[in-house]
Amino acid sequence: MDLQRLDSYQGGAGPDFHEHVLHKTILVGDSGVGKTSLLVQFDQGKFVPGSFSATVGIGFTVMLLGDSGVGKTCFLIRFRDGAFLSGTFIATVGIDFRNKVVTVDGVRVKLQIWDTAGQERFRSVTHAYYRDAQALLLLYDITNKSSFDNIRAWLTEIHEYAQRDVVIMLLGNKILGTRYMDEDLRWERVNLNYRHPFEAGHHPFAKRSYPPSP
Ligand SMILES: Nc1nc2c(ncn2[C@@H]2O[C@H](COP(=O)(O)OP(=O)(O)OP(=O)(O)O)[C@@H](O)[C@H]2O)c(=O)[nH]1
């Protein structure tokens, strides 16, 4: 089967972006007919032969949010493929998604992870997806104060568009990016961030960065 990718669907923000490419498509059919293979072919542009593994039944949708450039796409690639996406920064267009199966307490769980564009101009598109998410990872860049200051605005949007019981995790990214900073300034900034109410226990909090220290 010949599948045409929509170039504007993934990466490379440009004037050709149209909201109509963001419609949802659901693959249905008997187990083994080739739904997953079709999706992989669409995503990677090639047929991946190999052992058939039935798609897991339990699934959750997780959404990555935060200002443009805080590292959402890099975080996702790292989580899914274990690789750090270095080099030129290509802003996400609208929304993109990837799947990952994880095992929790012996149960295989499929995570569908939505990577959203941080740029303001895509907000009206991404808002439509908030309600489907069971968990939100809200990222900021620990080397960029405004990305942290904007967390309040992100929370306002979350409260407006997401489910009431959605799980929110605040995640300070690029810890290693602070290497060039003076040590005192660096820790002052980290402590400043830790005094945010998130730390009071209302929400889980995590720090994350890569690549690993040399
Ligand atoms: N030093 C350092 N750089 C990082 C890290 N994560 C991402 N970057 C860099 O930050 C830039 C932006 O990363 P992206 O993952 O594309 O940012 P994004 O949040 O997805 O941006 P949008 O798609 O516009 O919302 C890239 O140049 C990355 O290489 C990190 O943990 N440490």
Side-chain angles (χ1 to χ4, degrees):
M1 183 181 291
D2 183 26
L3 288 170
Q4 294 290 319
R5 279 198 64 95
L6 288 162
D7 288 335
S8 54
Y9 181 70
Q10 187 178 17
D16 295 336
F17 174 76
H18 298 297
E19 292 190 11
H20 72 261
V21 300
L22 296 168
H23 291 317
K24 290 180 187 173
T25 304
I26 302 173
L27 302 180
V28 291
D30 279 3
S31 178
V33 295
K35 299 184 295 297
T36 303
S37 298
L38 190 67
L39 186 61
V40 170
Q41 189 183 357
F42 178 70
D43 186 41
Q44 300 177 10
K46 61 183 181 205
F47 174 68
V48 181
S51 59
F52 162 67
S53 67
T55 303
V56 286
I58 305 176
F60 293 104
T61 302
V62 181
M63 212 169 172
L64 302 180
L65 296 173
D67 279 8
S68 180
V70 295
K72 298 182 293 298
T73 302
C74 288
F75 173 80
L76 179 53
I77 304 278
R78 171 76 172 186
F79 176 63
R80 205 192 77 152
D81 305 325
F84 176 65
L85 202 66
S86 59
T88 321
F89 165 43
I90 301 174
T92 303
V93 174
I95 196 159
D96 190 11
F97 81 91
R98 283 163 207 271
N99 292 328
K100 184 173 171 91
V101 176
V102 293
T103 303
V104 181
D105 295 334
V107 179
R108 292 180 76 218
V109 178
K110 183 162 125 182
L111 298 177
Q112 186 174 84
I113 308 169
W114 294 91
D115 178 18
T116 64
Q119 289 180 5
E120 186 85 38
R121 65 193 176 117
F122 295 117
R123 288 300 148 77
S124 60
V125 177
T126 53
H127 285 162
Y129 291 82
Y130 279 50
R131 201 155 291 283
D132 292 336
Q134 278 92 36
L136 301 172
L137 287 188
L138 182 52
L139 277 78
Y140 70 95
D141 175 352
I142 203 159
T143 68
N144 178 349
K145 187 173 180 305
S146 73
S147 74
F148 181 73
D149 294 340
N150 287 337
I151 288 296
R152 279 187 199 287
W154 282 106
L155 286 171
T156 304
E157 298 206 352
I158 289 168
H159 289 144
E160 187 168 349
Y161 297 103
Q163 296 176 28
R164 287 175 74 93
D165 60 348
V166 69
V167 175
I168 307 169
M169 175 180 270
L170 180 67
L171 207 150
N173 197 30
K174 302 196 189 179
I175 301 292
L176 292 182
T178 60
R179 267 186 311 208
Y180 61 84
M181 281 187 188
D182 171 72
E183 190 78 3
D184 292 339
L185 177 65
R186 174 176 139 185
W187 284 109
E188 192 179 305
R189 180 163 292 186
V190 170
N191 289 334
L192 176 81
N193 291 342
Y194 278 7
R195 278 201 291 273
H196 188 270
F198 271 99
E199 217 222 348
H202 299 298
H203 298 275
F205 182 88
K207 289 180 293 167
R208 187 75 181 86
S209 193
Y210 35 81
S213 301

